[in-house]
Amino acid sequence: MGVALASAARVAPLVRHAPTIATYCSHSSLQIFHGAKQEGFRTLGICGGRPPRYYEAFPLARPDAFLAIPRLALLPRYAARLNREHAVLVPHGSFVEYLGPEKFAALPVPVFGNRKVLAWESDREKEREWLESAGVRMPKRYESIDDIDGPAIVKYYGAKGGKGFILAKDRRTLEGFRPTGPYVIQQYVLGTRYYIHFFYSPLSRDGYRVGNGSLELLGMDRRDEANIDELYKLGSQEELLAAGIRPTFVVTGNVPVVLRESLLPQVFDIGARIVERSIELFGGMVGPFCVEGIVTEELKFYVFEISTRIVAGTNVFPSGSSYADLVAPHLSMGRRMALEIARARHEGRLREVLS
Ligand code: ATP
């Protein structure tokens, strides 16, 4: 037996009754339900207000039932109902963000993956401590404006979609900078962005071995970000700033990408380090996580963030990707999670994949 994340009492009902895969109706929910249905699970869509109408357009991804509650913030009140339905909650960005990481982590309902990871992911300081101590290359952090020795980016804490971020060509650009809240200044890494979709299975004994399990690479995307992606068409940064137009990084969609094959060893090394360190720090990550980084012209991969659950970029691949196709046919991240839950239940190891 590997690391037990959940208590025996928490998983006991799921040993007797088949789990229902439940998530909040947004973000990557279509793919999560689709993958769960492919593996024969019952599915439950949690929604604030009425079920979203767009589900009617996607019969293969429409959940079998809905739990419609007035607001997602009220979900803790429905824990007993979720447990009666034998729900396993699948976290995704909107689910955790809208409920709040602390409230999500405290839900007395089984969750796929290690809920302890949320505390490490949602706090930028802890995230950096984790990644740096894992030996992962990150953008330099400047303690003061005087330390800046190249292009820099000022990031405000909790700024959704990079609102208010400042891009600076050099130190001089930031002279007279007056912060409007807590912030960090980072090296602005010049290169190309890649968002790498990993899956860590503590159950698997095949493939690319990490810890007691194995690491799978299932896809990659790049995020479309408004307004930064198209901003250059309007003129130079200085002209735009003078006109009161500032860059933002609101994710509006995703596109599939592949990486130069010669970069794969670097990427697997990063993924493995992050997993190994997570095992030391908090009992390990289970399931999907995304390494978000930039490859420079020297072919060095810098990680600026990780997401420790399914990311919306995986929606690009509902039935396989350039990488997932080489692992198993028709494999989406949603389906991969369902397969892991099914295998854990079959092998009597649910405590290792649920928390
Ligand atoms: P979200 O939580 O929505 O992912 P965020 O507000 O946490 O966003 P980041 O993900 O850290 O912010 O950054 C937003 C965007 O800013 C990135 O997708 C990337 O385009 C750019 N970016 C962030 N850090 C750097 C960096 N060090 N160098 C270059 N670009 C960066």
Side-chain angles (χ1 to χ4, degrees):
M1 169 118 173
V3 179
L5 304 173
S7 67
R10 181 160 277 170
V11 303
L14 305 174
V15 174
R16 292 191 295 273
H17 303 273
T20 294
I21 304 297
T23 198
Y24 177 57
C25 292
S26 185
H27 190 268
S28 44
S29 64
L30 286 170
Q31 190 207 144
I32 292 169
F33 295 136
H34 178 232
K37 285 156 95 79
Q38 283 176 307
E39 293 310 307
F41 284 102
R42 181 173 173 269
T43 49
L44 178 72
I46 300 164
C47 44
R50 296 223 310 242
R53 222 186 127 199
Y54 68 83
Y55 278 103
E56 291 164 21
F58 303 111
L60 301 184
R62 191 172 191 273
D64 299 301
F66 287 98
L67 173 61
I69 61 179
R71 278 177 293 120
L72 183 62
L74 300 177
L75 190 64
R77 293 192 199 166
Y78 295 82
R81 160 87 190 273
L82 288 166
N83 283 323
R84 274 201 305 279
E85 304 237 12
H86 308 296
V88 168
L89 300 178
V90 175
H92 58 61
S94 307
F95 197 173
V96 176
E97 184 68 37
Y98 299 161
L99 189 57
E102 288 92 15
K103 260 192 179 175
F104 188 94
L107 283 171
V109 180
V111 166
F112 178 63
N114 186 354
R115 63 179 81 203
K116 284 200 187 130
V117 75
L118 296 174
W120 288 84
E121 182 215 38
S122 56
D123 178 328
R124 275 194 199 270
E125 297 299 325
K126 289 187 91 155
E127 183 187 88
R128 184 166 270 265
E129 182 191 328
W130 171 12
L131 298 183
E132 278 189 341
S133 64
V136 169
R137 187 186 294 111
M138 296 186 77
K140 268 192 281 189
R141 201 167 135 157
Y142 300 116
E143 295 311 323
S144 82
I145 290 175
D146 295 335
D147 298 337
I148 296 174
D149 57 1
I153 177 168
V154 180
K155 297 165 138 186
Y156 285 101
Y157 285 110
K160 300 288 155 260
K163 283 242 165 60
F165 283 14
I166 300 170
L167 303 181
K169 279 200 278 293
D170 51 28
R171 188 188 317 148
R172 275 176 312 161
T173 323
L174 285 175
E175 271 167 17
F177 163 63
R178 298 267 172 279
T180 55
Y183 66 97
V184 285
I185 308 177
Q186 277 182 5
Q187 165 193 9
Y188 184 82
V189 182
L190 274 174
T192 341
R193 288 172 298 123
Y194 294 89
Y195 299 74
I196 319 283
H197 315 155
F198 282 115
F199 185 94
Y200 179 66
S201 167
L203 308 180
S204 174
R205 297 285 177 270
D206 308 316
Y208 192 95
R209 300 297 313 274
V210 176
N212 288 325
S214 68
L215 183 64
E216 296 166 18
L217 172 62
L218 295 187
M220 281 177 211
D221 76 294
R222 178 165 308 139
R223 295 182 185 166
D224 281 335
E225 295 176 326
N227 58 24
I228 187 75
D229 287 351
E230 304 286 334
L231 202 61
Y232 68 95
K233 289 182 181 165
L234 272 177
S236 72
Q237 279 243 17
E238 286 78 4
E239 288 166 347
L240 296 172
L241 278 178
I245 301 171
R246 309 199 72 129
T248 57
F249 299 79
V250 177
V251 181
T252 55
N254 306 79
V255 289
V257 290
V258 289
L259 202 60
R260 281 169 72 130
E261 194 166 316
S262 60
L263 286 168
L264 287 180
Q266 208 182 138
V267 155
F268 269 99
D269 179 62
I270 292 168
R273 284 168 180 275
I274 292 174
V275 170
E276 279 159 359
R277 191 71 184 122
S278 78
I279 296 169
E280 291 163 3
L281 289 174
F282 51 86
M285 269 190 304
V286 172
F289 68 101
C290 178
V291 171
E292 309 176 8
I294 298 168
V295 180
T296 64
E297 61 193 351
E298 294 85 24
L299 302 180
K300 289 193 173 136
F301 198 104
Y302 285 76
V303 178
F304 63 84
E305 183 155 79
I306 63 165
S307 295
T308 55
R309 26 98 202 146
I310 185 170
V311 287
T314 60
N315 292 341
V316 173
F317 309 115
S319 58
S321 76
S322 310
Y323 300 101
D325 285 358
L326 313 179
V327 178
H330 311 299
L331 190 61
S332 69
M333 193 60 89
R335 185 162 175 226
R336 183 64 190 85
M337 287 191 279
L339 282 165
E340 192 76 353
I341 296 168
R343 176 175 177 178
R345 187 161 181 262
H346 181 70
E347 295 182 1
R349 300 174 71 186
L350 279 172
R351 294 178 66 191
E352 293 173 58
V353 302
L354 305 183
S355 64

